[in-house]
Amino acid sequence: YTVRFEERQVEDLKFARQDAAFEHVRKVSEGNEAFYSTFVSPWVQAAANPWFAETLKWLHPMRTSRYAFSETINPWMRGVAVLAEIMSKTRSPLPENHPLIEAERNLIGQISDAIENVRTVRDSTYEQTFSVLYGTSSEPSVEE
């Protein structure tokens, strides 16, 4: 892949001004803030305490995944450690023309294409949703 980085300023981007749409966004944001402050914030403040914070800390998915695969919590992982040690002693790389290497490269290419397609659809969906909600034109907002 070839990557090029270039310093730019927001002012350098050419786009159609959408003042009315962003004024609508500001009003919606203020309404959401008022709703949150009135109805949600009191409940969050009531529930926030050291015990609840500690519970959330230890139930975080990145922490719990470490516990699930820890030998101290999960005794079955000791067997995985033994198998890993045995495999590391007999491990050898596959030749470059091995069918599994080709399959791996093809799969990586397909995954890369899928991620790119999802990104394109996501960005288009965001732009269309913004347009529908806040009344902007349906044309792309950034010109290159």
Side-chain angles (χ1 to χ4, degrees):
Y1 295 100
T2 302
V3 177
R4 180 178 61 123
F5 295 97
E6 157 183 327
E7 186 172 333
R8 297 172 73 180
Q9 301 294 319
V10 172
E11 295 80 19
D12 298 337
L13 299 174
K14 297 175 187 154
F15 58 91
R17 291 189 56 98
Q18 301 173 353
D19 293 335
F22 285 103
E23 178 62 23
H24 192 198
V25 169
R26 185 185 64 75
K27 289 177 183 176
V28 169
S29 179
E30 288 172 355
N32 287 341
E33 174 62 29
F35 177 83
Y36 181 87
S37 296
T38 304
F39 298 106
V40 179
S41 182
W43 290 100
V44 171
Q45 289 177 358
N49 59 56
W51 180 86
F52 190 63
E54 192 69 16
T55 301
L56 288 178
K57 179 179 105 175
W58 288 101
L59 290 177
H60 190 280
M62 291 188 71
R63 248 184 234 275
T64 55
S65 68
R66 299 295 187 267
Y67 301 145
F69 296 109
S70 164
E71 291 179 18
T72 56
I73 301 292
N74 186 349
W76 291 99
M77 293 311 292
R78 288 190 182 100
V80 172
V82 170
L83 287 173
E85 187 177 329
I86 292 169
M87 293 303 295
S88 68
K89 292 177 183 174
T90 61
R91 187 173 166 198
S92 63
L94 292 173
E96 280 294 313
N97 61 351
H98 194 280
L100 289 177
I101 299 288
E102 274 303 313
E104 178 186 46
R105 289 184 182 135
N106 288 336
L107 180 62
I108 289 170
Q110 291 172 357
I111 290 172
S112 296
D113 292 343
I115 290 171
E116 182 64 23
N117 290 337
V118 167
R119 183 197 62 78
T120 302
V121 169
R122 179 205 61 198
D123 292 350
S124 176
T125 301
Y126 285 167
E127 189 168 347
Q128 290 173 2
T129 302
F130 183 88
S131 179
V132 167
L133 290 175
Y134 302 110
T136 64
S137 67
S138 62
E139 296 182 21
S141 58
V142 176
E143 299 171 4
E144 292 195 32

